[in-house]
Structure formats: structure tokens, C-alpha cells
Amino acid sequence: MDQGSYKISELEKKYEKFLAPSIEITLDGKKLDTSKTPITELEVELSAGGSAGGCTFTVDSLFDYEKSEWKNEIAKTVKVGTKLEVSGGYVKRSPLFYGYVDESVMEHSNAGAPKLKISGIDGLGFLMSCNEPIYGGKTKSKEIITNILKKSVAAGFAKKFTVDSGNALKEFTTPLVKERMDDFRFLQLLAQRYGMTVTSIDGELVFDALWKESESIIKLTMGKGLLSFTKRVCLRNQVGKVVVWGRDVNEKFVQGTAASVKTGGKGKSAAQLAPGLKGAVLREFSEFARTAEECTRLAQARLDGLSMNLVSGEGVCIGIPELIPGRFITVDGMESETEGVYFLSKVTHSFTAEGYYTRFEVKGGKTE
């Protein structure tokens, strides 16, 4: 996962003033000749939590009416299960997506020429099909998560993976159980439990504490790359305290409490903005917690996760291939209440007849 930081001026030079957007599609290692295969629109959506990444593109004006067949054998070339890689940018291109074709739609209509619509999904999507139970026993959480992500790499739908680079999971010793749940949903559950983020970037599956990083990937200024930005602050579903209960090895109740948000910026948390929320308590029981210390860690992760929904927003900028979810972004050129650093939760790269633009969604746990 890219850990670099960029300046808009440097990218403008790299991509020659962001002129002449271009894409490159590779199917099972072979580049698709876009001069012979018209791609009318392409979109890559990447998410840092909640969903797998996806890619869609449309092939138009490539149907032979006389022979009643698709030209260039395009329908056979982009069949489901085919490995799909997409790069995009301008004169220079950067990787945007790595996964496989999971849906092919042939659309016929009297209103226009037939279209071929292709959808791809990344390695996390493959894990939605893996449903076998897991009984962790004494196996550590990190090892279980690693074994799950290895499945996607072994299937060829991901290139590599990163799990808990800061080694925070070593503090959790409770057994893990998965029943009647696919692997991707299980990873999302564990991410919520441990205060982690699940994402896939250019074939790398990541399960890590990305919220706890703070370095901005880029600063975007309104009118200079940033075309629009909306920020909202909402107290809905915010709490001032989380209490987690568990049972120790002797079946006696233990508990842990978290009342101070440890992530999301340097501003004020929901309870600091609205002191009445200090009396709003979320109490949960964990079948897995065995010590008071573990209950406290789970409570802190739960509070931090809830707090990240205090601030949300979305923006549109010129197409920037380097923009990825799971990193932070700085927005500038507005009033002080809106300017600041935000966590990128979703990034969508869109190539259409109008050009190349990047839409993004952000969130944060604190605000000024």
C-alpha cells in the first residue's frame, strides 16, 4: 500500500497538466487494444471498509449486425473469471485496480447499438464466496486473518497481503469462532472489534489500523485541483462511553471501559461537542473477552470506530491515480471550519466522455 505523499504541482508536471486522460485494461496478462475496442466509460471504486473494490466498463459500437456477433471476439476475451487489471491516468498511467471479471452483461435494445458491460471485483470479493466455519481455539487472531487472506492470493485474485503491521493484535488472546458467515463479513466483524480497516489496493489486501495513521497523502485546494467538497457533522449514533463485559476462565464477569476517543484528529469528540453525550453509554457483552484488560481494549476499539462517523463528507477533484482509500487527505482553500485532515473511506476513479475525475468520501472522529 502506497505510503508516499504528493504535491499537486508535482503531479501536474508528471501528468503534463492533467491533459489527455487514458486507460489501460489487461485481461489475463494481455493488454486490451482500446483503439479497436471502444471503451465509452470506465469506473473504479475502492473502499476502506464496508465493501470490496470494484471496476465497471462499457464496450460500445462493437457489434456486427450482418454476422450477428461481437467483433474481435470481445465477448470471449472478457468472460467471467478472467483476471482483470486496470491502469489509468494521462500520458503516464498508474495501477488503479486488480481483481477478476465477475459479471458480463450483453445489452440489446431497439434504441441503440448493443453494449457489453463488464464488472470486476477485487480479492476481497472472492472471500465473499468462502463460507467454511472457523474454530480458532488457541490460534492467534493474526494467524487466522492471515490464513483467510492467503486464500485470495492462492486463487490468483490478489498479489499479496498485509496484516497488522503495528502488531496490535498480539494483545488479543481470545478464541475466534466463525459460523454461518462468509470470510469477508468475518473480516469486517474483526475489523470493527479490533479497530482495524479492511481494504484492497492494487492487489494488496490490507487488514490494519489505518485510522491511527495521520500523514496526508496530498493537499487539495479549492479551485486548484479540488472542484467541490462537502462536510457534515452528525451526532447520530454517537456515545460518550463504551463498556464491554466478558467472562474470565473461571466464568466470573469482567469488564472494561473506554470514555476518551483516541483517533480521528486533534479536534473535539462528540462528547466534547455535546457534553450531554457523556451520559450515553453503549454496553456490550463479548463471548470472547477473558480479562478486564482485553475488555478495555475492545471497548476502546468500539468507541473509536463509532467516533469515526462523527464527521463525514465527499468531494470531487481532477483525476488523481495516487488517491486511494485508507489514507488521509488535507483539504484547503475554504473557511477554517471545513479545512482540515480527513480519512479517505472511499475513492472512485471515473473515465467518461467528459474526462477523468476522482470522487472521494471522507470521515473523521473529531472536529474543531
Side-chain angles (χ1 to χ4, degrees):
M1 185 173 176
D2 186 2
Q3 299 297 322
S5 295
Y6 304 90
K7 293 181 179 180
I8 194 70
S9 58
E10 295 172 345
L11 295 180
E12 184 178 27
K13 183 178 181 180
K14 173 183 177 180
Y15 295 122
E16 297 187 9
K17 298 183 178 181
F18 302 110
L19 299 176
S22 65
I23 58 173
E24 182 178 273
I25 298 174
T26 303
L27 297 160
D28 273 346
K30 297 181 180 179
K31 294 180 182 179
L32 188 66
D33 188 346
T34 53
S35 67
K36 298 179 180 179
T37 306
I39 307 297
T40 55
E41 55 185 4
L42 180 144
E43 183 173 280
V44 171
E45 182 179 283
L46 307 174
S47 175
S51 63
C55 172
T56 60
F57 63 92
T58 301
V59 179
D60 205 351
S61 304
L62 206 64
F63 190 79
D64 189 327
Y65 283 95
E66 293 183 0
K67 296 181 179 180
S68 189
E69 65 182 19
W70 295 94
K71 299 177 184 178
N72 302 336
E73 297 188 330
I74 185 63
K76 297 179 181 179
T77 303
V78 291
K79 59 186 178 181
V80 294
T82 303
K83 183 189 298 183
L84 173 62
E85 299 175 70
V86 176
S87 295
Y90 302 88
V91 176
K92 294 182 178 180
R93 306 186 191 99
S94 298
L96 296 178
F97 178 82
Y98 185 98
Y100 62 99
V101 176
D102 74 323
E103 184 179 72
S104 174
V105 177
M106 298 178 186
E107 188 177 276
H108 295 264
S109 171
N110 289 329
K115 297 180 179 180
L116 182 62
K117 296 185 176 180
I118 306 300
S119 297
I121 199 165
D122 62 25
L124 293 177
F126 168 71
L127 297 178
M128 297 176 183
S129 300
C130 302
N131 288 278
E132 61 181 314
I134 294 176
Y135 302 101
K138 294 183 179 181
T139 307
K140 301 296 184 181
S141 303
K142 187 171 183 176
E143 183 179 350
I144 291 175
I145 295 165
T146 297
N147 289 337
I148 290 175
L149 297 182
K150 279 183 178 178
K151 296 179 185 178
S152 192
V153 175
F157 300 138
K159 294 184 281 188
K160 58 182 180 179
F161 56 84
T162 297
V163 180
D164 186 28
S165 61
N167 207 24
L169 291 177
K170 69 178 182 178
E171 300 174 338
F172 295 94
T173 58
T174 55
L176 300 178
V177 176
K178 177 176 82 75
E179 295 177 320
R180 297 185 298 277
M181 181 183 297
D182 64 66
D183 284 356
F184 178 69
R185 287 178 57 204
F186 187 54
L187 289 178
Q188 290 292 335
L189 176 65
L190 296 183
Q192 180 188 76
R193 182 182 298 168
Y194 299 140
M196 300 280 181
T197 300
V198 183
T199 189
S200 176
I201 305 296
D202 185 30
E204 180 183 4
L205 307 182
V206 180
F207 187 100
D208 215 341
L210 301 180
W211 292 346
K212 297 182 179 179
E213 301 295 331
S214 60
E215 185 177 3
S216 177
I217 192 170
I218 195 171
K219 178 196 285 189
L220 293 178
T221 302
M222 183 61 67
K224 296 181 180 179
L226 182 60
L227 306 178
S228 67
F229 185 75
T230 300
K231 172 187 176 180
R232 63 183 62 85
V233 180
C234 181
L235 294 176
R236 193 175 303 123
N237 299 321
Q238 293 293 311
V239 299
K241 181 188 297 186
V242 174
V243 179
V244 173
W245 290 80
R247 286 192 180 95
D248 64 17
V249 293
N250 297 315
E251 292 298 310
K252 292 184 178 181
F253 286 110
V254 291
Q255 76 170 62
T257 301
S260 177
V261 176
K262 302 295 185 183
T263 190
K266 300 179 180 179
K268 295 181 179 180
S269 66
Q272 290 172 324
L273 290 170
L277 279 175
K278 294 178 180 180
V281 181
L282 173 64
R283 290 183 173 85
E284 294 184 336
F285 180 79
S286 172
E287 290 286 353
F288 308 99
R290 294 291 179 265
T291 66
E293 291 77 12
E294 196 160 48
C295 287
T296 298
R297 287 192 286 268
L298 291 172
Q300 188 65 59
R302 189 77 168 104
L303 179 62
D304 289 343
L306 288 171
S307 76
M308 288 297 288
N309 295 312
L310 172 65
V311 178
S312 63
E314 58 274 335
V316 179
C317 65
I318 55 176
I320 300 178
E322 284 76 8
L323 216 58
I324 56 175
R327 295 289 307 277
F328 285 80
I329 187 173
T330 301
V331 296
D332 195 19
M334 294 159 283
E335 79 285 354
S336 60
E337 289 81 5
T338 300
E339 294 178 341
V341 180
Y342 300 85
F343 181 77
L344 283 162
S345 57
K346 181 180 289 187
V347 174
T348 303
H349 299 281
S350 297
F351 295 81
T352 67
E354 297 178 353
Y356 170 27
Y357 297 95
T358 301
R359 305 192 306 273
F360 57 90
E361 296 180 12
V362 298
K363 58 183 180 180
K366 295 179 181 178
T367 186
E368 295 296 342

